[in-house]
């Protein structure tokens, strides 16, 4: 019995939804970082603190999204298929 597989590729609805969710998470983290963590310190100016927060938040968000998307796409097209033994009753 042949099974036709539909390949949506990068336009898979789950991948698009997850990407939007990760963008929202990154935006919320960016706003929280600007509100609570961007401060002027004795050796760091306010501008440098804001730049650092921006780099840290978006770099971590992109890395987490990449790992999530790798796992998601790996499950879309698995490399191994289970081998079922015939069980006699």
């Amino acid at each position: 019995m042949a099974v036709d597989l539909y390949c949506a590729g990068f336009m898979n609805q789950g991948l698009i939804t997850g990407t939007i969710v990760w963008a929202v998470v990154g935006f919320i983290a960016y706003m929280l970082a600007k509100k609570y963590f961007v401060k002027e310190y004795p050796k760091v100016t306010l501008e440098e603190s804001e730049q650092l927060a921006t780099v840290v938040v978006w770099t971590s968000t992109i890395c987490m999204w990449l790992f999530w998307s790798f796992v998601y796409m790996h499950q879309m097209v698995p490399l191994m298929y289970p081998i079922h033994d015939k069980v006699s009753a």
Side-chain angles (χ1 to χ4, degrees):
M1 180 163 103
V3 176
D4 293 331
L5 295 176
Y6 171 70
C7 181
F10 290 111
M11 297 318 252
N12 182 306
Q13 189 58 43
L15 195 58
I16 292 172
T17 303
T19 300
I20 292 169
V21 168
W22 277 109
V24 169
V25 167
F27 184 73
I28 291 171
Y30 176 69
M31 289 297 128
L32 290 173
K34 281 188 74 167
K35 182 171 182 165
Y36 294 111
F37 296 110
V38 173
K39 298 177 185 173
E40 188 161 354
Y41 295 97
K43 294 186 178 182
V44 179
T45 64
L46 189 62
E47 293 172 4
E48 291 173 336
S49 181
E50 186 174 349
Q51 290 173 351
L52 179 63
T54 302
V55 168
V56 168
V57 166
W58 287 112
T59 300
S60 61
T61 301
I62 290 169
C63 287
M64 289 186 289
W65 171 78
L66 278 173
F67 284 122
W68 171 83
S69 65
F70 295 157
V71 171
Y72 187 87
M73 287 188 285
H74 177 71
Q75 293 175 8
M76 287 169 42
V77 183
L79 297 176
M80 295 183 274
Y81 295 97
I83 300 171
H84 299 287
D85 294 330
K86 296 207 181 229
V87 178
S88 58

